Amino acid sequence: MKSAHALAVSELEQTREKNRRELERRRKYVREHEPMLSEIEAKLMEGGNALLRCVLNGGRDFENIKKFIQKKQSEKQELLESMGLPKDYLDEIYDCQNCHDTGFDSSGRKCSCLVRLTAKYIDLNSNMTELMKSQTFENFDFSLYSPNPDGRKTSPLEHATKAYNIAKSFADDFSNGRNIILMGNAGTGKTYLSNCIGNRALARGKTVYYQTSYKLFELLENLKFGKYDDSSEYDRALSIKKYVYSADLLIIDDLGTEFVTQFTAAALFDLINTRLLDSKATVISTNLSLESMENMYSTRFTSRIFGEFKMIFMYSEDLRKKKINS
């Protein structure tokens, strides 16, 4: 998986090549139907060379050469109009007039088109579906949570509101490798809140990668034990692994649903520990209790969770069943 910037630059290169081929097609068409074009363009080239020599030699005869070039340009435009073509039909073609499809303007500043393309590929690299992209803080439905404490100190609504505020604050600034683990039973809104965080990070221009625990460790295991027969599949999996380690925000959903082996436990610790050392933010959602987590992985892993992750405990009746029944 190439970086979003590299993919954006590659798309601009493809745009320039597309426009170059289109201009060449136009020139070929005009030359075939009006042989005079080649002669006019040859004269324009002579004039351009003469103008350059003129400037280098102190500017003598500058105005005469300039008039000659303008005359040939007018002849070229008249020729095009006689064919029913626009005057600029043979001008250079650019999708972006500001940077001429280079990604940088005349002052060397990054063009808005490169910024837009980079954001597009950051979004595509996130591995978030269209449904997940609709799960934002703005769309969070507090009405699904009961205001009734049911014997607890706080109601599901109060608990969800607190979790929402912590997650939103985190999403707005997860600098210095801040991390969150969302814990609770199935259907309490952990994945939805994770997606809210991911979408806010994408809106801030941060690189994000989402994956379920099962699929993430399947990929890492297949790489480790050489289970990719096709070289292109191997290369893609390797690039995803690099992105998993380097993305500004990694979201691991449903930790504990994977088949835990000695390898997956070690791979999980290495991934989390490496990202902590590199000050990269991670969000984990899990149905596991801390005790279950320690039994499945290791004390070393849970100690990292205790020390480096903000724990958010969520509880409610199963929201998915509630949506179906409402």
Side-chain angles (χ1 to χ4, degrees):
M1 182 184 295
K2 290 184 179 179
S3 71
H5 176 77
L7 290 167
V9 169
S10 177
E11 182 166 334
L12 286 175
E13 289 174 352
Q14 292 172 26
T15 297
R16 293 197 298 274
E17 177 60 20
K18 174 202 71 175
N19 290 336
R20 185 198 64 77
R21 289 197 301 269
E22 171 58 17
L23 182 58
E24 185 54 40
R25 184 197 67 77
R26 292 182 183 186
R27 284 176 175 158
K28 182 179 179 182
Y29 172 81
V30 176
R31 288 193 194 102
E32 289 175 349
H33 291 81
E34 185 50 77
M36 281 293 295
L37 175 67
S38 296
E39 182 180 333
I40 293 172
E41 288 190 327
K43 293 295 183 182
L44 280 169
M45 185 173 291
E46 289 176 14
N49 291 334
L51 191 64
L52 178 60
R53 289 194 299 270
C54 174
V55 171
L56 293 174
N57 293 327
R60 288 177 299 174
D61 217 21
F62 180 85
E63 288 301 324
N64 288 335
I65 298 172
K66 183 179 175 181
K67 288 178 182 178
F68 173 80
I69 292 174
Q70 289 173 340
K71 179 183 177 184
K72 292 302 172 184
Q73 287 174 335
S74 295
E75 290 177 5
K76 182 178 178 180
Q77 291 174 351
E78 289 170 4
L79 183 147
L80 292 172
E81 287 184 315
S82 71
M83 297 176 65
L85 300 172
K87 291 180 180 181
D88 62 354
Y89 188 69
L90 296 181
D91 290 355
E92 295 290 337
I93 304 169
Y94 306 112
D95 282 20
C96 179
Q97 295 301 321
N98 183 48
C99 71
H100 292 177
D101 303 326
T102 64
F104 297 89
D105 64 19
S106 57
S107 300
R109 290 176 299 218
K110 190 179 290 186
C111 183
S112 60
C113 71
L114 179 57
V115 173
R116 185 179 65 255
L117 284 173
T118 302
K120 179 184 82 169
Y121 284 110
I122 287 175
D123 188 55
L124 290 173
N125 280 350
S126 71
N127 198 39
M128 296 178 71
T129 65
E130 289 305 311
L131 174 61
M132 294 165 69
K133 289 172 187 175
S134 70
Q135 297 174 342
T136 64
F137 287 112
E138 292 74 18
N139 293 334
F140 194 90
D141 189 356
F142 290 99
S143 69
L144 293 170
Y145 294 87
S146 171
N148 187 349
D150 287 331
R152 298 174 181 262
K153 290 182 179 180
T154 57
S155 69
L157 177 59
E158 291 172 316
H159 216 70
T161 301
K162 182 179 179 181
Y164 173 95
N165 289 332
I166 294 171
K168 189 171 182 295
S169 176
F170 169 84
D172 287 334
D173 180 19
F174 47 76
S175 58
N176 299 320
R178 295 171 62 201
N179 309 279
I180 279 181
I181 182 165
L182 295 156
M183 307 180 73
N185 294 332
T188 54
K190 300 185 302 297
T191 296
Y192 193 105
L193 202 53
S194 296
N195 294 338
C196 290
I197 294 171
N199 282 308
R200 177 59 61 88
L202 287 172
R204 292 174 54 215
K206 301 296 183 180
T207 54
V208 176
Y209 188 74
Y210 164 93
Q211 190 53 279
T212 62
S213 177
Y214 177 85
K215 289 186 177 180
L216 176 60
F217 291 107
E218 181 182 48
L219 178 141
L220 294 176
E221 186 174 359
N222 287 344
L223 275 171
K224 174 69 175 178
F225 298 106
K227 295 182 179 180
Y228 290 107
D229 296 328
D230 186 270
S231 61
S232 62
E233 287 184 2
Y234 173 84
D235 290 342
R236 173 165 172 74
L238 185 60
S239 66
I240 291 174
K241 177 185 176 181
K242 291 177 180 177
Y243 201 70
V244 165
Y245 275 80
S246 64
D248 296 326
L249 176 66
L250 172 64
I251 301 174
I252 305 176
D253 196 18
D254 278 337
L255 182 69
T257 56
E258 77 282 3
F259 180 68
V260 180
T261 64
Q262 188 174 1
F263 167 78
T264 55
L268 175 61
F269 179 81
D270 177 71
L271 174 59
I272 298 302
N273 194 55
T274 301
R275 289 184 59 81
L276 287 171
L277 293 174
D278 291 341
S279 295
K280 300 292 185 181
T282 305
V283 171
I284 298 174
S285 74
T286 183
N287 299 344
L288 299 174
S289 66
L290 288 170
E291 183 180 5
S292 298
M293 204 181 301
E294 186 170 341
N295 290 334
M296 289 181 69
Y297 303 106
S298 67
T299 303
R300 185 173 62 158
F301 170 70
T302 51
S303 70
R304 293 301 260 164
I305 296 296
F306 270 120
E308 305 291 346
F309 281 70
K310 175 71 175 178
M311 295 184 191
I312 300 179
F313 295 91
M314 302 187 72
Y315 74 90
S316 169
E317 60 182 290
D318 193 323
L319 300 182
R320 288 169 291 197
K321 292 180 181 178
K322 191 170 185 178
K323 283 183 178 180
I324 292 171
N325 295 330
S326 62

